[in-house]
Amino acid sequence: SQELEQSPQSLIVQEGKNLTINCTSSKTLYGLYWYKQKYGEGLIFLMMLQKGGEEKSHEKITAKLDEKKQQSSLHITASQPSHAGTYLCGADMGSNYQLIWGAGTKLIIKP
Amino acid sequence: SQTIHQWPATLVQPVGSPLSLECTVEGTSNPNLYWYRQAAGRGLQLLFYSVGIGQISSEVPQNLSASRPQDRQFILSSKKLLLSDSGFYLCAWMLLMNTEAFFGQGTRLTVV
């Protein structure tokens, strides 16, 4: 099983609706990253969380890290076509140099 | 400003041929450098990372190797490609853990 579980694997949402993507670990997360990827392209940084209970927002995207630092959620409000893509979470689980990555959530926005 | 260049964007190579993918970073010094492979519907698999010139750590035994001949240059190589080497390869850099990781645009490698 993966160390970092991301759900759902894919999501189809009507434009204008809200949605949530989750990233869960059985271990403590020392840092949690959210990235967005368009098909066939590199990853674009969205947000990084480090403290338990931390919440950050950028435009219509909000990311939270729970108090136990084992789960993070990414919430998009009033989704738009520009939000379509694959969202990946990555985590520092105590390694000095490497991040562990979730499998990604493919988001499709229906007009 | 900090940028990362990765090339080529796409590559089609016959089985048994050599491979060289290059990644260069600008605007920073002594970055940690990474090569990842991404399979469809899967997360990023770390292949190699480097914390300094000539220092390479391999995470997965395979048909690939990496080198860091200069501080901001990271090369992924193979002497003889296998069909299973096909995939999407990403180069990335970060200065420290828990700082932003910057990714190249990726290379789509198809081995035929």
Side-chain angles (χ1 to χ4, degrees), chain A residues 57-101:
Chain A
S57 293
H58 177 67
E59 297 180 343
K60 294 186 177 182
I61 301 177
T62 300
K64 301 178 185 179
L65 182 62
D66 73 336
E67 290 288 345
K68 290 175 63 178
K69 294 173 62 176
Q70 288 184 302
Q71 184 172 7
S72 178
S73 60
L74 186 81
H75 185 76
I76 298 177
T77 304
S79 57
Q80 301 169 349
S82 60
H83 290 130
T86 298
Y87 290 80
L88 290 102
C89 61
D92 170 12
M93 292 188 175
S95 164
N96 285 333
Y97 301 111
Q98 66 168 294
L99 300 175
I100 304 299
W101 295 89

Side-chain angles (χ1 to χ4, degrees), chain B residues 34-54:
Chain B
Y34 302 84
W35 277 112
Y36 289 96
R37 179 165 55 203
Q38 186 178 29
R42 303 282 294 274
L44 302 179
Q45 179 189 33
L46 180 63
L47 302 175
F48 301 95
Y49 69 89
S50 171
V51 300
I53 296 174

Side-chain angles (χ1 to χ4, degrees), chain A residues 2 30-33 35 37 39-45 48 50 88 92 95-99 101-104, chain B residues 32 34 36 38 41-44 46 49 51 59 88 90 94 96-106 108:
Chain A
Q2 284 201 302
Y30 294 90
L32 191 288
Y33 298 72
Y35 281 81
Q37 184 181 29
Y39 178 75
E41 298 182 7
L43 278 67
I44 304 298
F45 176 76
M48 187 185 75
Q50 282 185 273
L88 290 102
D92 170 12
S95 164
N96 285 333
Y97 301 111
Q98 66 168 294
L99 300 175
W101 295 89
Chain B
N32 294 334
Y34 302 84
Y36 289 96
Q38 186 178 29
R42 303 282 294 274
L44 302 179
L46 180 63
Y49 69 89
V51 300
E59 290 298 306
F88 190 60
L90 285 159
M94 59 195 300
L96 298 167
M97 288 302 285
N98 295 317
T99 62
E100 183 177 345
F102 297 87
F103 285 82
Q105 287 298 296
R108 173 76 56 193

